[in-house]
């Protein structure tokens, strides 16, 4: 059962007054084709969060995935030798997912249907995969597992996921599972991508959104199907460049890539109509809370060895409401950048 509670408990000190956030510490933003883009300066308040439990060591083996129960185990094909390298190994397969039986998950109820999202046609070198058929099957599974937002499902259907993974893993791209992308990170499980975006959207049209943790760029591409403008920030330089390469063929001028510390967000482009965080911290960074527009939602995993997906909705200038969703496993949210 979801538990809702105010982020600022009674009797706690109010958050500090707004102060200028004039420039993104994460660097300059650019679109998927390498063009620079800037956002107008806005103001965002700092906030204060309740204390959290002592840190628990989290490793790539217990992050960014769900753990299914009550279903037969999937038969896994061995990893090809071409990707058997220290930073992209099978241990990452159980990260960026939820924990629990997908058939009992709480649905995100958005009944309306909308026109499918389309991407520009181009020559399909999909390595023998029938991408459209497999994407349709993936969307059908997501619908059965409780994803009811047709706009999000159409966005998932429009993106060829195999283009965002190593060629050796292309045959597994349409499984509902996280896959390694190198540097101890993963491409998130399709269900968790759809769940987080649908919860953040809440049936509304989204203007400007922020993704923390670009990875290979897949979730940013899906977000581009439901939002007018997408900012996505990545702290690992190699992944930032990988995402740029993967997104460039899609020609999405409203997707802007930022290299920088995701825990600081992109204050120069705030406020955002939604924020989606693809890594788990022991608490939600206050900088991100301050960059939410009033009425907007932030969706993020939170915790150490045990994590839950949480939804935080900004209800006023100095008020937020927190709701706990299902158990998940994600890679840890870390500060700073890696060149």
């Amino acid at each position: 059962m979801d538990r809702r509670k105010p982020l600022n408990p009674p009797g706690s000190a109010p958050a500090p007054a707004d102060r200028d956030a004039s420039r993104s510490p994460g660097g300059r933003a650019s679109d998927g084709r390498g063009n620079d883009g800037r956002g107008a300066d806005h103001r965002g308040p700092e906030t204060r969060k309740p204390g959290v439990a002592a840190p628990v060591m989290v490793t790539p083996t217990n992050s960014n995935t769900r753990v299914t129960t009550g279903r037969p185990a999937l038969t896994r094909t061995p990893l090809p030798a071409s990707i058997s390298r220290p930073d992209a190994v099978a241990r990452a397969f159980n990260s960026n997912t939820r924990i629990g039986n997908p058939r009992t998950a709480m649905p995100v109820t958005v009944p309306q249907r909308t026109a499918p999202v389309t991407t520009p046609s181009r020559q399909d070198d999909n390595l023998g995969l029938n991408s459209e058929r497999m994407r349709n099957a993936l969307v059908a599974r997501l619908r059965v597992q409780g994803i009811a937002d047709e706009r999000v499902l159409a966005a998932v259907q429009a993106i060829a996921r195999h283009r965002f993974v190593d060629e050796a893993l292309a045959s597994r791209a349409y499984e509902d599972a996280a896959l390694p992308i190198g540097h101890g990170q993963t491409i998130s499980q399709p269900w968790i991508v759809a769940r987080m975006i649908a919860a953040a959207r809440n049936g509304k049209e989204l203007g400007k959104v922020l993704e923390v943790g670009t990875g290979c760029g897949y979730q940013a591409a899906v977000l581009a199907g439901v939002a007018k403008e997408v900012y996505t920030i990545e702290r690992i330089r190699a992944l930032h460049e990988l995402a740029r390469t993967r997104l460039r063929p899609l020609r999405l001028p409203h997707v802007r890539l930022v290299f920088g510390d995701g825990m600081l967000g992109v204050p120069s482009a705030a406020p955002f109509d939604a924020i989606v965080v693809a890594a788990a911290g022991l608490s939600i960074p206050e900088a991100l809370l301050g960059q939410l527009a009033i009425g907007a939602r932030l969706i993020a995993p939170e915790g150490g060895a045990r994590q839950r997906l949480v939804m935080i909705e900004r209800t006023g200038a100095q008020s937020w409401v927190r709701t706990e969703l299902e158990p998940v496993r994600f890679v840890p949210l870390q500060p700073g950048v890696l060149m």
Side-chain angles (χ1 to χ4, degrees):
M1 180 179 296
D2 291 352
R3 294 181 292 169
R4 298 176 61 87
K5 58 183 179 180
L7 205 62
N8 298 86
S12 64
D18 291 0
R19 63 180 181 181
D20 288 342
S22 61
R23 185 175 179 86
S24 166
R28 299 183 65 187
S30 62
D31 61 25
R33 296 170 295 177
N35 297 325
D36 288 344
R38 296 175 182 271
D41 288 350
H42 295 269
R43 297 174 183 272
E46 295 181 354
T47 62
R48 178 169 300 172
K49 270 191 48 62
V52 296
V56 181
M57 183 64 65
V58 181
T59 68
T61 59
N62 65 353
S63 58
N64 289 58
T65 59
R66 77 173 167 197
V67 175
T68 58
T69 59
R71 300 180 65 192
L74 292 173
T75 302
R76 302 286 191 189
T77 23
L79 267 178
S82 61
I83 64 163
S84 296
R85 54 185 186 270
D87 60 350
V89 291
R91 66 168 186 254
F93 280 153
N94 69 339
S95 60
N96 288 61
T97 64
R98 70 175 167 187
I99 301 173
N101 190 337
R103 297 185 181 277
T104 61
M106 179 178 297
V108 182
T109 306
V110 183
Q112 76 277 11
R113 290 180 175 267
T114 59
V117 178
T118 58
T119 54
S121 59
R122 50 193 165 81
Q123 185 177 2
D124 193 0
D125 54 345
N126 61 9
L127 308 172
L129 297 172
N130 184 334
S131 177
E132 184 176 359
R133 177 178 60 82
M134 298 182 80
R135 279 181 280 155
N136 289 339
L138 172 61
V139 167
R141 290 197 301 272
L142 296 179
R143 189 177 282 114
V144 167
Q145 293 176 15
I147 305 299
D149 188 326
E150 293 295 331
R151 182 71 178 272
V152 173
L153 291 172
V156 172
Q157 198 280 333
I159 302 301
R161 190 171 184 250
H162 68 270
R163 294 184 178 277
F164 292 86
V165 300
D166 190 288
E167 182 176 321
L169 289 172
S171 63
R172 302 194 55 191
Y174 298 100
E175 295 178 8
D176 190 21
L179 297 171
I181 58 174
H183 305 277
Q185 306 298 308
T186 62
I187 180 174
S188 295
Q189 173 194 31
W191 186 91
I192 205 71
V193 170
R195 168 61 162 153
M196 293 175 75
I197 296 175
R201 201 173 89 86
N202 192 29
K204 301 176 182 177
E205 291 298 317
L206 293 177
K208 189 187 303 180
V209 303
L210 171 65
E211 177 196 26
V212 176
T214 310
C216 61
Y218 173 71
Q219 184 165 260
V222 177
L223 279 167
V226 300
K228 294 179 180 178
E229 192 172 5
V230 177
Y231 281 79
T232 177
I233 185 167
E234 173 57 55
R235 66 182 291 269
I236 301 174
R237 170 68 76 177
L239 290 181
H240 171 73
E241 297 299 334
L242 173 65
R244 186 192 304 279
T245 301
R246 299 288 196 238
L247 289 168
R248 184 177 290 115
L250 297 182
R251 301 183 182 275
L252 301 171
H254 59 305
V255 176
R256 307 183 186 279
L257 280 70
V258 179
F259 172 62
D261 186 345
M263 295 181 69
L264 302 178
V266 184
S268 65
F272 296 100
D273 298 319
I275 298 177
V276 177
V277 183
L282 295 177
S283 62
I284 306 299
E286 294 183 2
L288 298 181
L289 295 176
Q291 291 174 34
L292 273 178
I294 294 176
R297 290 180 169 185
L298 179 149
I299 311 297
E302 184 184 70
R306 294 185 178 183
Q307 301 172 6
R308 293 193 72 86
L309 198 64
V310 300
M311 176 175 69
I312 297 177
E313 184 170 3
R314 188 169 192 175
T315 56
Q318 302 296 330
S319 60
W320 294 259
V321 173
R322 168 193 171 97
T323 303
E324 292 192 357
L325 306 177
E326 51 272 336
V328 291
R329 280 207 291 251
F330 273 73
V331 294
L333 181 66
Q334 297 178 341
V337 296
L338 292 178
M339 300 300 292

